[in-house]
Amino acid sequence: MLEDPTAHPDQTAVRRSVPAQPGAPDGSRPTDPADARDSDWPGEYPGGYAVVDVETTGLARHDRIVSAAVYQLDARGETEDCWYTPINPQRDPGPTWIHGLTTEVLSRAPLFPSVAEEFARRLSDRVLVAHNAIFDWSMIAREFARAGLTAPVDQRLCTISLAKELQLPLPNHKLETLAAHFGVRQRQAHHALDDARVLAEAFRPSLHRAASRGLRLPLLACTPLREWHDPVGTGASAHTPRYAGSWRPSRRRPACPYPNPGRYEPGGPLVQGMRVAISGDTSVDRDLLEDRAIEAGLHIATSVSRLTSLLVTNDPGSHTSKVAKAREVGTPILDEAAFTQLLRDVAPAPGR
């Protein structure tokens, strides 16, 4: 068994299980009054979960994972196993004042391809659960893509979204606030294993409350990243703290030189100047897909409005704000494969 890694942020044990840490001092699990009975458990709920936390060198698409932890939970949210590893990012470790992992410590850690098989085994056939899940999932998908592999994740669940569905009386949606609401003690914030433990202990009562109310879980489809390229000159790290803003900093893009010709007509071609929004995961790295659209003469929109020509999403049944707005205003929706096919022959702007 591992020594308690939450007391030693520089420990470098890899591919080992650690014992689950119960929530109560006497080793028993506290009973939540909202625990769902067997007869109340929704049959459509997933059969298992992988609660994940990753610490990274920064927030940009070229940043790397420096440590990862997974708590495997059964269908009712009970801990089955947990695992932690530091990872050598082969670059500056970024905000060491947050995650505590220095260059010296990480130089002794394994590279991602060395732990990818074990990581994948712990994710396989489970719903990935994370706090701000789009961040953790995106970083994981990119690491697997860099290694020439595919992350075995079909769905994810964000505990922020779940807290909103449950209408929990939280002043904010930080992990420590969610933990405090359920009486979970955080021992070492921004250590991947302790953050994953805290989230697992807060997720279990959240899951039971959702089940007792018969709520639909806010599951989103995950599209594995199959095409990836590292931009030139990514040796320097973005030292933006993870909790200071968006996980995906915006990029400056040139203004589209063509006027908006209106909405996409199903069955027709894309036309230069069309405003295209993208929602959810894409099999091609998002920045790469957007660059291709811009090179073809399209305008990439960050939101959906009545002026949006087209929404591209691989999960049209999701409840994201872009998909909801597209339905409200009647914006046409295409999946990534169809959009990529249309990108091969974009019609010139009217009057060109």
Side-chain angles (χ1 to χ4, degrees):
M1 295 297 183
L2 286 182
E3 188 177 8
D4 182 2
T6 61
H8 302 278
D10 63 342
Q11 64 88 24
T12 56
V14 182
R15 298 195 218 176
R16 300 182 187 174
S17 298
V18 297
Q21 300 177 13
D26 62 358
S28 63
R29 178 179 59 78
T31 301
D32 190 302
D35 277 1
R37 296 172 298 177
D38 289 350
S39 59
D40 296 330
W41 200 263
E44 69 275 12
Y45 275 22
Y49 304 88
V51 178
V52 172
D53 186 76
V54 298
E55 298 300 321
T56 66
T57 62
L59 302 174
R61 60 186 292 271
H62 57 267
D63 276 300
R64 307 296 301 272
I65 293 176
V66 296
S67 65
V70 181
Y71 263 69
Q72 291 182 311
L73 310 182
D74 66 15
R76 304 301 180 94
E78 300 293 345
T79 299
E80 297 178 321
D81 188 28
C82 49
W83 171 82
Y84 167 83
T85 182
I87 297 170
N88 185 343
Q90 298 181 286
R91 55 171 292 174
D92 185 285
T96 57
W97 59 91
I98 296 177
H99 53 61
L101 296 168
T102 64
T103 299
E104 180 183 3
V105 168
L106 292 174
S107 67
R108 304 190 297 269
L111 303 180
F112 186 84
S114 298
V115 301
E117 182 179 354
E118 180 70 8
F119 201 174
R121 186 177 71 81
R122 293 175 179 276
L123 298 175
S124 183
D125 298 323
R126 296 173 183 267
V127 170
L128 184 149
V129 177
H131 204 64
N132 190 19
I134 182 60
F135 175 86
D136 296 82
W137 161 243
S138 297
M139 297 301 295
I140 291 168
R142 286 170 179 161
E143 288 288 4
F144 273 93
R146 286 187 186 96
L149 303 170
T150 300
V153 177
D154 295 323
Q155 290 182 307
R156 66 175 180 266
L157 188 156
C158 180
T159 47
I160 295 176
S161 298
L162 182 56
K164 291 178 179 178
E165 289 283 340
L166 292 171
Q167 299 181 329
L168 299 181
L170 305 177
N172 57 59
H173 289 97
K174 296 179 180 179
L175 176 57
E176 55 264 36
T177 304
L178 180 66
H181 177 78
F182 288 111
V184 179
R185 182 166 63 90
Q186 194 164 28
R187 300 187 179 99
Q188 188 172 351
H190 303 297
H191 185 287
L193 184 60
D194 196 53
D195 279 355
R197 174 192 63 81
V198 167
L199 188 57
E201 292 184 13
F203 173 64
R204 191 201 67 79
S206 298
L207 178 64
H208 277 256
R209 290 191 183 192
S212 66
R213 300 178 191 178
L215 294 181
R216 172 188 175 275
L217 294 179
L219 301 174
L220 291 178
C222 291
T223 302
L225 190 57
R226 303 184 188 280
E227 187 173 350
W228 164 265
H229 78 294
D230 273 308
V232 177
T234 58
S237 172
H239 288 225
T240 309
R242 169 173 168 177
Y243 49 77
S246 170
W247 65 272
R248 186 173 180 269
S250 60
R251 295 195 297 162
R252 290 185 178 274
R253 299 189 182 279
C256 182
Y258 311 113
N260 184 357
R263 286 186 172 174
Y264 166 74
E265 294 292 336
L270 295 172
V271 180
Q272 288 180 328
M274 281 185 169
R275 297 177 62 91
V276 177
I278 303 176
S279 176
D281 303 330
T282 54
S283 63
V284 175
D285 179 65
R286 176 72 70 85
D287 286 342
L288 186 57
L289 183 62
E290 291 180 354
D291 286 344
R292 289 175 179 171
I294 290 171
E295 289 169 3
L298 303 177
H299 173 93
I300 294 296
T302 57
S303 60
V304 174
S305 71
R306 296 183 184 278
L307 299 177
T308 305
S309 307
L310 174 69
L311 175 66
V312 178
T313 180
N314 289 319
D315 192 12
S318 69
H319 291 264
T320 65
S321 58
K322 288 181 182 177
V323 172
K325 187 66 176 180
R327 290 200 193 103
E328 177 187 334
V329 300
T331 301
I333 298 176
L334 280 181
D335 64 21
E336 179 189 359
F339 177 67
T340 302
Q341 185 72 24
L342 291 171
L343 275 181
R344 298 178 181 178
D345 190 17
V346 176
R352 276 193 71 192

